[in-house]
Amino acid sequence: MNFNRKRHKTLKLLSPSFILFNSDQLTSEDKFGVSFADLEKELKYDRYDCEKVFSRLYRDGEVKYTNTSVVGLHLTQG
């Protein structure tokens, strides 16, 4: 399994909401972050393999857990 590609794809999936949030264009209809279920679906990984991908991103401080509008992840830096 190529976890580096999946990490990159995860960051790419999280980028749109991060950009909207930083530019103060996030509306009440937009969600801050991406849910775990959506990430699993997009990455085509089960929860166990997703945790392997996310653990490195957590450790490096690139993502954080969110439960603001979704239960999932959000970017911490651009």
Side-chain angles (χ1 to χ4, degrees), residues 37-54:
D38 288 344
L39 289 170
E40 287 176 27
K41 183 175 134 185
E42 288 293 325
L43 296 176
K44 297 180 179 134
Y45 271 7
D46 61 12
R47 189 159 192 80
Y48 178 75
D49 287 333
C50 279
E51 286 300 322
K52 288 181 184 178
V53 171
F54 303 154

Side-chain angles (χ1 to χ4, degrees), residues 13-71:
L13 292 168
L14 297 172
S15 293
S17 69
F18 181 77
I19 292 168
L20 286 174
F21 179 76
N22 277 345
S23 64
D24 292 328
Q25 295 179 0
L26 195 68
T27 66
S28 61
E29 296 167 1
D30 295 321
K31 295 180 180 179
F32 181 62
V34 178
S35 71
F36 287 122
D38 288 344
L39 289 170
E40 287 176 27
K41 183 175 134 185
E42 288 293 325
L43 296 176
K44 297 180 179 134
Y45 271 7
D46 61 12
R47 189 159 192 80
Y48 178 75
D49 287 333
C50 279
E51 286 300 322
K52 288 181 184 178
V53 171
F54 303 154
S55 65
R56 175 80 180 262
L57 297 173
Y58 281 125
R59 188 190 71 180
D60 293 344
E62 295 183 75
V63 300
K64 285 191 177 179
Y65 171 81
T66 183
N67 64 358
T68 306
S69 56
V70 296
V71 176

